[in-house]
Amino acid sequence: MNFEILDIELDKIEADCKITLVIDKNMTHRWISDTDLLTKVGFKAQSEEVVYLASSDTVYAVADSLESDDIRLAVSNALQAIKKSDYKSVKVGLYTKNCPPINARAIAEGILLGTYSFDKYKSKKERSSIQTVKISTEDYNGKIYNIDSTKKAIDEALIIADATNSAKDIVNTTPFDMTPEKLANYAKSLANEIDGLDCFIGDEKFLKKENMGAFLAVAKASSEKPRLIHLSYKPKNAKKRFVFVGKGLTYDSGGLSLKPSEHMVTMKSDKSGASAAIHIIKAAALLELPFEVHSIIGAAENMIGGDAYKPDDVLWARNGKTIEVRNTDAEGRLVLADCLDFAQDLKPDYLVDLATLTGACVVALGEYTSGVMGHDSGLKHSFLKSAKKSGELAGTLQFNRYLKKLLKSSVADISNISTSRYGGALTAGLFLDNFIRDEYKDRWLHLDIAGPAYVEKDWGYNQTGASGAGVRMCVYWLKDFYYQMNNVHKEVK
Ligand code: BES
Ligand code: ZN
Ligand code: ZN
């Protein structure tokens, strides 16, 4: 899809179809020209309502407010309504009170995220006919804004939305087509394509050399061999160093603590943290952010077999701690334990892990919200603020000392599961905390994306399947760091 930004009146722009957002119940603003017809077809301007009027080649879509996420949703709903048309081009103006770049960015993101479809395995591809989106810098009050800042914002939006959509592609790809080795090849190909992005791949031998006993145990029963993927982006004069760590279980059968079959379907999505970490660094490099960024991915398959790791095994993690395995389905934390330890050798200013870690997090927050855990409330707060702007839902879950005690083991330093069936998202986070060194405790965030990473129904501007969870909130967070360092205070909502 091709975007054109024009600083001319919307009505003077040529396009096959026009998107008009309805932003108040009275349907009054100057781009609403079909008032009688809208009333006739029963349009009430209710939340998420959309009407397509073929007679005037216009789609009317309700935005609940001018907040970015309401705008994303409204433009996505509008495009959904003309999905089957043969329009080649659409045009849309701005809906803002005082910040055109933020509004333009939301429009572009809404369009790209909302029109994503995954048809790799469909013999008949049903692709949208729309090739060109024309965005006027005129707003609904008739004011025409400066084109440069709008263009820049849209360029950024395209990078972020493309990264999110590519993250969805990787997650939606089958376990056969996205093994640890293939994921590593994908990371390598990105590094070849993108300036400044480097990639190191560690194989089983490397993991042994690094004493990654926990990671290796999880991978042992699979004929697909594990990989540690290390992507790095090191611009000159980088101001901070961020390290992202992603859980990359290309399949999670549960291992010997085998999942019941209805829980096993969708477990190709257990590589969502990895896919997010790969595409966060991709976006950071393309945005040329002045930060050093690393993504460490633990890629493995959790399978069964004669050589599978077992409940009752005791594993030696890279940091020297021993772990009693009481459930082989709590494998993500084992892979992450070693990857987090590896990540801390890079001396990060901020360390963030992303993982589809627990079903308990989905129970706690619902399937659309990611869990944010960590020790530093300032850090959590700054992250939640950026997540909100990005349109991703995130909520904090609070660690406490009592839950931490539930991970005690009588045979090893720690058990891989809690003795209680409650608070599973937090006890998984607290397990990881055992692998965070004292000096990094306040620099670490754990993001449990098990809910939103993969949802088997359409929601908002997300389609059935992968949503690219983690990418937008982390990239917005990085961008906000940059704005704060440069004292740009106007980047709001
Ligand atoms: N990959 C799963 C978590 C998961 C569940 C992700 C649902 C997405 C949707 C993880 O490896 C797992 O199986 N966790 C167990 C932990 C338990 C054994 C302590 C769980 O959540 O049941
Ligand atoms: Zn599992
Ligand atoms: Zn898992």
PDB file of all heavy atoms in Angstrom, residues 247 249 252 254 259 263 266-267 269-270 302 327 329-333 356-360 362 416-418 448 450-451, ligand 1:
ATOM      1  N   LYS A 247      10.950 -14.988  24.346  1.00  0.00           N
ATOM      2  CA  LYS A 247      10.698 -16.435  24.422  1.00  0.00           C
ATOM      3  C   LYS A 247      10.349 -16.922  23.013  1.00  0.00           C
ATOM      4  O   LYS A 247       9.369 -16.476  22.421  1.00  0.00           O
ATOM      5  CB  LYS A 247       9.538 -16.717  25.389  1.00  0.00           C
ATOM      6  CG  LYS A 247       9.035 -18.174  25.353  1.00  0.00           C
ATOM      7  CD  LYS A 247       7.937 -18.451  26.380  1.00  0.00           C
ATOM      8  CE  LYS A 247       7.349 -19.845  26.217  1.00  0.00           C
ATOM      9  NZ  LYS A 247       6.252 -20.139  27.150  1.00  0.00           N
ATOM     10  N   LEU A 249       9.592 -20.232  21.718  1.00  0.00           N
ATOM     11  CA  LEU A 249       9.199 -21.642  21.619  1.00  0.00           C
ATOM     12  C   LEU A 249       8.429 -21.802  20.311  1.00  0.00           C
ATOM     13  O   LEU A 249       7.270 -21.395  20.219  1.00  0.00           O
ATOM     14  CB  LEU A 249       8.356 -22.049  22.832  1.00  0.00           C
ATOM     15  CG  LEU A 249       9.116 -22.684  24.012  1.00  0.00           C
ATOM     16  CD1 LEU A 249       9.654 -24.064  23.649  1.00  0.00           C
ATOM     17  CD2 LEU A 249      10.293 -21.831  24.471  1.00  0.00           C
ATOM     18  N   ASP A 252       5.138 -25.463  21.578  1.00  0.00           N
ATOM     19  CA  ASP A 252       5.089 -25.893  22.984  1.00  0.00           C
ATOM     20  C   ASP A 252       4.017 -26.965  23.145  1.00  0.00           C
ATOM     21  O   ASP A 252       2.839 -26.669  23.285  1.00  0.00           O
ATOM     22  CB  ASP A 252       4.784 -24.685  23.889  1.00  0.00           C
ATOM     23  CG  ASP A 252       4.718 -25.078  25.367  1.00  0.00           C
ATOM     24  OD1 ASP A 252       5.122 -26.212  25.706  1.00  0.00           O
ATOM     25  OD2 ASP A 252       4.265 -24.237  26.174  1.00  0.00           O
ATOM     26  N   GLY A 254       4.097 -28.919  25.610  1.00  0.00           N
ATOM     27  CA  GLY A 254       4.041 -29.151  27.047  1.00  0.00           C
ATOM     28  C   GLY A 254       5.139 -30.105  27.495  1.00  0.00           C
ATOM     29  O   GLY A 254       5.454 -30.196  28.672  1.00  0.00           O
ATOM     30  N   LYS A 259       0.386 -31.157  27.144  1.00  0.00           N
ATOM     31  CA  LYS A 259      -0.834 -30.343  27.165  1.00  0.00           C
ATOM     32  C   LYS A 259      -2.007 -31.184  26.664  1.00  0.00           C
ATOM     33  O   LYS A 259      -1.834 -31.993  25.747  1.00  0.00           O
ATOM     34  CB  LYS A 259      -0.677 -29.142  26.217  1.00  0.00           C
ATOM     35  CG  LYS A 259       0.195 -28.028  26.756  1.00  0.00           C
ATOM     36  CD  LYS A 259       0.172 -26.830  25.811  1.00  0.00           C
ATOM     37  CE  LYS A 259       1.140 -25.747  26.262  1.00  0.00           C
ATOM     38  NZ  LYS A 259       0.778 -25.113  27.528  1.00  0.00           N
ATOM     39  N   HIS A 263      -5.613 -27.504  24.404  1.00  0.00           N
ATOM     40  CA  HIS A 263      -4.698 -26.420  24.777  1.00  0.00           C
ATOM     41  C   HIS A 263      -3.457 -26.380  23.890  1.00  0.00           C
ATOM     42  O   HIS A 263      -2.718 -25.410  23.889  1.00  0.00           O
ATOM     43  CB  HIS A 263      -4.264 -26.556  26.244  1.00  0.00           C
ATOM     44  CG  HIS A 263      -5.350 -26.213  27.202  1.00  0.00           C
ATOM     45  ND1 HIS A 263      -5.252 -26.402  28.563  1.00  0.00           N
ATOM     46  CD2 HIS A 263      -6.577 -25.677  26.990  1.00  0.00           C
ATOM     47  CE1 HIS A 263      -6.373 -26.017  29.149  1.00  0.00           C
ATOM     48  NE2 HIS A 263      -7.189 -25.577  28.213  1.00  0.00           N
ATOM     49  N   THR A 266      -2.829 -23.728  18.833  1.00  0.00           N
ATOM     50  CA  THR A 266      -2.401 -22.314  18.976  1.00  0.00           C
ATOM     51  C   THR A 266      -0.989 -22.193  19.582  1.00  0.00           C
ATOM     52  O   THR A 266      -0.477 -21.084  19.689  1.00  0.00           O
ATOM     53  CB  THR A 266      -3.350 -21.396  19.805  1.00  0.00           C
ATOM     54  OG1 THR A 266      -3.227 -21.687  21.188  1.00  0.00           O
ATOM     55  CG2 THR A 266      -4.794 -21.500  19.364  1.00  0.00           C
ATOM     56  N   MET A 267      -0.376 -23.304  19.974  1.00  0.00           N
ATOM     57  CA  MET A 267       0.936 -23.179  20.623  1.00  0.00           C
ATOM     58  C   MET A 267       2.087 -22.883  19.649  1.00  0.00           C
ATOM     59  O   MET A 267       3.237 -22.736  20.060  1.00  0.00           O
ATOM     60  CB  MET A 267       1.248 -24.403  21.489  1.00  0.00           C
ATOM     61  CG  MET A 267       0.603 -24.285  22.864  1.00  0.00           C
ATOM     62  SD  MET A 267       1.109 -22.760  23.719  1.00  0.00           S
ATOM     63  CE  MET A 267      -0.442 -22.181  24.349  1.00  0.00           C
ATOM     64  N   SER A 269       2.028 -20.135  18.650  1.00  0.00           N
ATOM     65  CA  SER A 269       2.150 -18.727  19.073  1.00  0.00           C
ATOM     66  C   SER A 269       3.135 -18.541  20.223  1.00  0.00           C
ATOM     67  O   SER A 269       3.357 -17.423  20.677  1.00  0.00           O
ATOM     68  CB  SER A 269       0.784 -18.196  19.514  1.00  0.00           C
ATOM     69  OG  SER A 269       0.395 -18.818  20.727  1.00  0.00           O
ATOM     70  N   ASP A 270       3.732 -19.643  20.686  1.00  0.00           N
ATOM     71  CA  ASP A 270       4.649 -19.529  21.831  1.00  0.00           C
ATOM     72  C   ASP A 270       5.991 -18.890  21.433  1.00  0.00           C
ATOM     73  O   ASP A 270       6.870 -18.729  22.275  1.00  0.00           O
ATOM     74  CB  ASP A 270       4.868 -20.912  22.459  1.00  0.00           C
ATOM     75  CG  ASP A 270       4.911 -20.837  23.987  1.00  0.00           C
ATOM     76  OD1 ASP A 270       4.462 -19.811  24.540  1.00  0.00           O
ATOM     77  OD2 ASP A 270       5.403 -21.790  24.617  1.00  0.00           O
ATOM     78  N   ASN A 302       9.483 -27.442  22.471  1.00  0.00           N
ATOM     79  CA  ASN A 302       9.253 -28.261  23.674  1.00  0.00           C
ATOM     80  C   ASN A 302       8.470 -29.505  23.268  1.00  0.00           C
ATOM     81  O   ASN A 302       7.266 -29.427  23.025  1.00  0.00           O
ATOM     82  CB  ASN A 302       8.470 -27.419  24.698  1.00  0.00           C
ATOM     83  CG  ASN A 302       8.325 -28.120  26.044  1.00  0.00           C
ATOM     84  OD1 ASN A 302       9.086 -29.045  26.358  1.00  0.00           O
ATOM     85  ND2 ASN A 302       7.351 -27.695  26.835  1.00  0.00           N
ATOM     86  N   ASN A 327       7.348 -29.472  36.345  1.00  0.00           N
ATOM     87  CA  ASN A 327       6.393 -29.475  35.238  1.00  0.00           C
ATOM     88  C   ASN A 327       7.134 -29.029  33.975  1.00  0.00           C
ATOM     89  O   ASN A 327       7.674 -27.926  33.919  1.00  0.00           O
ATOM     90  CB  ASN A 327       5.237 -28.512  35.560  1.00  0.00           C
ATOM     91  CG  ASN A 327       4.097 -28.654  34.568  1.00  0.00           C
ATOM     92  OD1 ASN A 327       4.313 -28.739  33.369  1.00  0.00           O
ATOM     93  ND2 ASN A 327       2.877 -28.701  35.069  1.00  0.00           N
ATOM     94  N   ASP A 329       5.938 -28.277  31.237  1.00  0.00           N
ATOM     95  CA  ASP A 329       5.188 -27.270  30.470  1.00  0.00           C
ATOM     96  C   ASP A 329       5.515 -25.848  30.940  1.00  0.00           C
ATOM     97  O   ASP A 329       5.150 -24.876  30.287  1.00  0.00           O
ATOM     98  CB  ASP A 329       3.682 -27.550  30.584  1.00  0.00           C
ATOM     99  CG  ASP A 329       2.881 -26.841  29.511  1.00  0.00           C
ATOM    100  OD1 ASP A 329       3.500 -26.341  28.548  1.00  0.00           O
ATOM    101  OD2 ASP A 329       1.640 -26.785  29.631  1.00  0.00           O
ATOM    102  N   ALA A 330       6.190 -25.745  32.083  1.00  0.00           N
ATOM    103  CA  ALA A 330       6.666 -24.417  32.509  1.00  0.00           C
ATOM    104  C   ALA A 330       8.085 -24.257  31.962  1.00  0.00           C
ATOM    105  O   ALA A 330       9.064 -24.146  32.698  1.00  0.00           O
ATOM    106  CB  ALA A 330       6.628 -24.311  34.029  1.00  0.00           C
ATOM    107  N   GLU A 331       8.169 -24.307  30.615  1.00  0.00           N
ATOM    108  CA  GLU A 331       9.476 -24.356  29.935  1.00  0.00           C
ATOM    109  C   GLU A 331      10.001 -22.983  29.556  1.00  0.00           C
ATOM    110  O   GLU A 331      11.211 -22.785  29.463  1.00  0.00           O
ATOM    111  CB  GLU A 331       9.375 -25.256  28.684  1.00  0.00           C
ATOM    112  CG  GLU A 331       8.848 -24.576  27.416  1.00  0.00           C
ATOM    113  CD  GLU A 331       7.433 -24.015  27.535  1.00  0.00           C
ATOM    114  OE1 GLU A 331       6.661 -24.523  28.363  1.00  0.00           O
ATOM    115  OE2 GLU A 331       7.109 -23.050  26.814  1.00  0.00           O
ATOM    116  N   GLY A 332       9.070 -22.047  29.328  1.00  0.00           N
ATOM    117  CA  GLY A 332       9.489 -20.726  28.852  1.00  0.00           C
ATOM    118  C   GLY A 332      10.416 -20.061  29.845  1.00  0.00           C
ATOM    119  O   GLY A 332      11.446 -19.471  29.481  1.00  0.00           O
ATOM    120  N   ARG A 333      10.096 -20.187  31.128  1.00  0.00           N
ATOM    121  CA  ARG A 333      10.906 -19.550  32.171  1.00  0.00           C
ATOM    122  C   ARG A 333      12.308 -20.165  32.241  1.00  0.00           C
ATOM    123  O   ARG A 333      13.253 -19.501  32.648  1.00  0.00           O
ATOM    124  CB  ARG A 333      10.180 -19.663  33.520  1.00  0.00           C
ATOM    125  CG  ARG A 333       9.908 -21.062  33.968  1.00  0.00           C
ATOM    126  CD  ARG A 333       8.906 -21.126  35.110  1.00  0.00           C
ATOM    127  NE  ARG A 333       7.520 -20.962  34.661  1.00  0.00           N
ATOM    128  CZ  ARG A 333       6.467 -20.901  35.463  1.00  0.00           C
ATOM    129  NH1 ARG A 333       6.640 -20.987  36.766  1.00  0.00           N
ATOM    130  NH2 ARG A 333       5.252 -20.756  34.989  1.00  0.00           N
ATOM    131  N   THR A 356       5.110 -15.299  25.965  1.00  0.00           N
ATOM    132  CA  THR A 356       3.787 -15.888  26.191  1.00  0.00           C
ATOM    133  C   THR A 356       4.007 -16.894  27.321  1.00  0.00           C
ATOM    134  O   THR A 356       4.133 -18.081  27.091  1.00  0.00           O
ATOM    135  CB  THR A 356       3.313 -16.609  24.912  1.00  0.00           C
ATOM    136  OG1 THR A 356       4.420 -17.379  24.408  1.00  0.00           O
ATOM    137  CG2 THR A 356       2.845 -15.642  23.859  1.00  0.00           C
ATOM    138  N   LEU A 357       4.074 -16.371  28.544  1.00  0.00           N
ATOM    139  CA  LEU A 357       4.610 -17.204  29.623  1.00  0.00           C
ATOM    140  C   LEU A 357       3.567 -18.019  30.367  1.00  0.00           C
ATOM    141  O   LEU A 357       3.825 -19.163  30.729  1.00  0.00           O
ATOM    142  CB  LEU A 357       5.412 -16.330  30.605  1.00  0.00           C
ATOM    143  CG  LEU A 357       6.485 -17.078  31.384  1.00  0.00           C
ATOM    144  CD1 LEU A 357       7.521 -17.703  30.458  1.00  0.00           C
ATOM    145  CD2 LEU A 357       7.185 -16.175  32.390  1.00  0.00           C
ATOM    146  N   THR A 358       2.402 -17.427  30.643  1.00  0.00           N
ATOM    147  CA  THR A 358       1.432 -18.166  31.466  1.00  0.00           C
ATOM    148  C   THR A 358      -0.019 -17.973  31.035  1.00  0.00           C
ATOM    149  O   THR A 358      -0.446 -16.871  30.669  1.00  0.00           O
ATOM    150  CB  THR A 358       1.514 -17.710  32.950  1.00  0.00           C
ATOM    151  OG1 THR A 358       1.123 -16.339  33.050  1.00  0.00           O
ATOM    152  CG2 THR A 358       2.889 -17.914  33.543  1.00  0.00           C
ATOM    153  N   GLY A 359      -0.761 -19.066  31.118  1.00  0.00           N
ATOM    154  CA  GLY A 359      -2.209 -18.985  30.954  1.00  0.00           C
ATOM    155  C   GLY A 359      -2.808 -18.165  32.091  1.00  0.00           C
ATOM    156  O   GLY A 359      -3.836 -17.501  31.926  1.00  0.00           O
ATOM    157  N   ALA A 360      -2.132 -18.179  33.235  1.00  0.00           N
ATOM    158  CA  ALA A 360      -2.632 -17.455  34.411  1.00  0.00           C
ATOM    159  C   ALA A 360      -2.721 -15.952  34.153  1.00  0.00           C
ATOM    160  O   ALA A 360      -3.591 -15.265  34.695  1.00  0.00           O
ATOM    161  CB  ALA A 360      -1.723 -17.727  35.610  1.00  0.00           C
ATOM    162  N   VAL A 362      -3.533 -14.623  31.374  1.00  0.00           N
ATOM    163  CA  VAL A 362      -4.749 -14.422  30.575  1.00  0.00           C
ATOM    164  C   VAL A 362      -5.968 -14.459  31.495  1.00  0.00           C
ATOM    165  O   VAL A 362      -6.924 -13.692  31.337  1.00  0.00           O
ATOM    166  CB  VAL A 362      -4.865 -15.497  29.470  1.00  0.00           C
ATOM    167  CG1 VAL A 362      -5.902 -15.082  28.448  1.00  0.00           C
ATOM    168  CG2 VAL A 362      -3.516 -15.762  28.794  1.00  0.00           C
ATOM    169  N   ASN A 416      10.600 -25.060  39.323  1.00  0.00           N
ATOM    170  CA  ASN A 416      10.129 -24.306  38.148  1.00  0.00           C
ATOM    171  C   ASN A 416       8.630 -24.020  38.197  1.00  0.00           C
ATOM    172  O   ASN A 416       8.111 -23.333  37.333  1.00  0.00           O
ATOM    173  CB  ASN A 416      10.554 -24.968  36.826  1.00  0.00           C
ATOM    174  CG  ASN A 416       9.638 -26.099  36.369  1.00  0.00           C
ATOM    175  OD1 ASN A 416       9.075 -26.827  37.187  1.00  0.00           O
ATOM    176  ND2 ASN A 416       9.504 -26.256  35.067  1.00  0.00           N
ATOM    177  N   ILE A 417       7.946 -24.528  39.223  1.00  0.00           N
ATOM    178  CA  ILE A 417       6.539 -24.127  39.397  1.00  0.00           C
ATOM    179  C   ILE A 417       6.263 -23.801  40.862  1.00  0.00           C
ATOM    180  O   ILE A 417       6.967 -24.241  41.766  1.00  0.00           O
ATOM    181  CB  ILE A 417       5.526 -25.196  38.900  1.00  0.00           C
ATOM    182  CG1 ILE A 417       5.786 -26.549  39.563  1.00  0.00           C
ATOM    183  CG2 ILE A 417       5.522 -25.314  37.383  1.00  0.00           C
ATOM    184  CD1 ILE A 417       4.637 -27.521  39.422  1.00  0.00           C
ATOM    185  N   SER A 418       5.193 -23.068  41.056  1.00  0.00           N
ATOM    186  CA  SER A 418       4.785 -22.662  42.396  1.00  0.00           C
ATOM    187  C   SER A 418       4.015 -23.808  43.065  1.00  0.00           C
ATOM    188  O   SER A 418       3.449 -24.672  42.390  1.00  0.00           O
ATOM    189  CB  SER A 418       3.904 -21.429  42.252  1.00  0.00           C
ATOM    190  OG  SER A 418       3.058 -21.271  43.348  1.00  0.00           O
ATOM    191  N   ASP A 448       4.344 -10.290  30.130  1.00  0.00           N
ATOM    192  CA  ASP A 448       3.675 -11.553  29.792  1.00  0.00           C
ATOM    193  C   ASP A 448       2.591 -11.244  28.760  1.00  0.00           C
ATOM    194  O   ASP A 448       1.552 -10.650  29.090  1.00  0.00           O
ATOM    195  CB  ASP A 448       3.083 -12.210  31.055  1.00  0.00           C
ATOM    196  CG  ASP A 448       2.662 -13.656  30.786  1.00  0.00           C
ATOM    197  OD1 ASP A 448       2.315 -13.975  29.620  1.00  0.00           O
ATOM    198  OD2 ASP A 448       2.676 -14.474  31.743  1.00  0.00           O
ATOM    199  N   ALA A 450       0.937 -13.460  26.900  1.00  0.00           N
ATOM    200  CA  ALA A 450       0.211 -14.695  26.551  1.00  0.00           C
ATOM    201  C   ALA A 450      -1.212 -14.428  26.045  1.00  0.00           C
ATOM    202  O   ALA A 450      -1.711 -15.156  25.188  1.00  0.00           O
ATOM    203  CB  ALA A 450       0.168 -15.633  27.753  1.00  0.00           C
ATOM    204  N   GLY A 451      -1.860 -13.391  26.559  1.00  0.00           N
ATOM    205  CA  GLY A 451      -3.238 -13.108  26.134  1.00  0.00           C
ATOM    206  C   GLY A 451      -3.301 -12.544  24.729  1.00  0.00           C
ATOM    207  O   GLY A 451      -3.732 -13.220  23.779  1.00  0.00           O
TER     208      GLY A 451
HETATM  209  N1  BES B   1       3.194 -21.293  26.590  1.00  0.00           N
HETATM  210  C1  BES B   1       2.509 -21.566  27.788  1.00  0.00           C
HETATM  211  C2  BES B   1       1.661 -20.390  28.285  1.00  0.00           C
HETATM  212  C3  BES B   1       0.487 -19.983  27.431  1.00  0.00           C
HETATM  213  C4  BES B   1      -0.786 -20.411  27.760  1.00  0.00           C
HETATM  214  C5  BES B   1       0.651 -19.115  26.380  1.00  0.00           C
HETATM  215  C6  BES B   1      -1.858 -19.996  26.997  1.00  0.00           C
HETATM  216  C7  BES B   1      -0.423 -18.724  25.615  1.00  0.00           C
HETATM  217  C8  BES B   1      -1.673 -19.146  25.932  1.00  0.00           C
HETATM  218  C9  BES B   1       3.499 -21.904  28.903  1.00  0.00           C
HETATM  219  O1  BES B   1       4.665 -22.529  28.510  1.00  0.00           O
HETATM  220  C10 BES B   1       2.800 -22.837  29.837  1.00  0.00           C
HETATM  221  O2  BES B   1       2.440 -23.886  29.413  1.00  0.00           O
HETATM  222  N2  BES B   1       2.614 -22.406  31.080  1.00  0.00           N
HETATM  223  C11 BES B   1       1.933 -23.158  32.048  1.00  0.00           C
HETATM  224  C12 BES B   1       2.649 -22.989  33.361  1.00  0.00           C
HETATM  225  C13 BES B   1       2.233 -23.956  34.420  1.00  0.00           C
HETATM  226  C14 BES B   1       2.669 -25.358  34.052  1.00  0.00           C
HETATM  227  C15 BES B   1       2.843 -23.542  35.731  1.00  0.00           C
HETATM  228  C16 BES B   1       0.489 -22.655  32.154  1.00  0.00           C
HETATM  229  O3  BES B   1       0.264 -21.448  32.005  1.00  0.00           O
HETATM  230  O4  BES B   1      -0.397 -23.468  32.337  1.00  0.00           O
END
